[in-house]
Amino acid sequence: MSTFVDIPFDKPVKGPEQKVEQSAFFLTGSHSRITQNGKFVGLKKIQVTGKSIIEHNTTMRGDLAKIKIGYYVVIGEGTVLKPAEKFGDQLSFIDMTIGDYTVIGRHCVIRAWQIGCCCWIGEGSVINNKCVVEDCGMVLENTVLAPGTVVPPYTVFAGNPGRCIGRLPPTFDMIMNEHTHAFYAAFKPEKSATSLTSRTGSSSRTGPSRSGRSGPRHNSHALTRSTRTTNKPSSSNRPPATAARSSNEKKPAAPAQKAKE
């Protein structure tokens, strides 16, 4: 009899492609796909390492503290990432770190200090101030973790307030690695018909203009060079010499015509 908790992944894990409009996301240099419909405050302090997906209507408060997101991380739609407070003489905030191969579901509120690698945060969960979800931790959907809660590795928390209800198999890290890779591969932004027509129209307009700009520019240089080279002989003393040469070349032609007569 297994004591491990079933893993409630969103379906399909390796199923059909999730087609979204390409104009709704932008691709970073590290191949992350980030929505253009989110609220990102303090972009200089938000770091997305690579090949992560940030869905629509997400909020990240990088103006409060640094937010670092690892590889192959999925941030669900409508989720809020707000760094935790640190109380002292003055109110300050602590940097937030989200490890690799981690999935945070839709409409979550994350105030944690740290979420480790290969973690699963279910939809509608609230991770309160100063919480820590260690590597390979799972929080089921609609769970509310009390402030300062620590989720140990390979454990499952659920309820309000959240408490441990079971354990995960030792292969959970491999499962999350495979799941996040499959999710990223299935996430396919595609060009819509309107974007295709607009882009092809714009390219047809901009193409000739670019060639027109570059073409006449090079032709004008070539023309100025040719005119300069042709003008140099005319400005020098060469025209009389060329005229003499032309007259000398015409003299033999006249006797030839007389001979024919």
Side-chain angles (χ1 to χ4, degrees), residues 77-117:
E77 181 178 354
T79 291
V80 178
L81 303 182
K82 183 179 179 181
E85 294 96 344
K86 180 180 179 181
F87 296 99
D89 296 337
Q90 293 181 352
L91 178 63
S92 60
F93 295 85
I94 303 173
D95 297 345
M96 177 186 295
T97 303
I98 300 175
D100 304 335
Y101 315 116
T102 291
V103 175
I104 299 177
R106 304 177 185 90
H107 307 292
C108 293
V109 178
I110 307 298
R111 304 292 312 280
W113 280 359
Q114 179 181 356
I115 296 178
C117 299

Side-chain angles (χ1 to χ4, degrees), residues 6-13 103 119-120 138 172 175-176 179:
D6 293 335
I7 301 173
F9 284 148
D10 286 342
K11 302 297 182 182
V13 177
V103 175
C119 293
W120 174 273
M138 175 180 284
F172 184 70
I175 295 172
M176 287 301 302
H179 176 70

Side-chain angles (χ1 to χ4, degrees), residues 7 32 58 60 91 121 132 135 147 153 176 208 214 237 239:
I7 301 173
S32 293
T58 53
M60 297 187 185
L91 178 63
I121 310 297
V132 175
D135 295 345
M176 287 301 302
S214 60
N237 297 324

Side-chain angles (χ1 to χ4, degrees), residues 120-164:
W120 174 273
I121 310 297
E123 180 177 344
S125 296
V126 178
I127 313 298
N128 273 307
N129 192 35
K130 298 183 180 180
C131 289
V132 175
V133 181
E134 297 185 0
D135 295 345
C136 299
M138 175 180 284
V139 178
L140 296 183
E141 49 183 54
N142 299 319
T143 299
V144 179
L145 294 184
T149 302
V150 177
V151 178
Y154 298 98
T155 59
V156 181
F157 274 57
N160 184 9
R163 59 184 181 85
C164 182

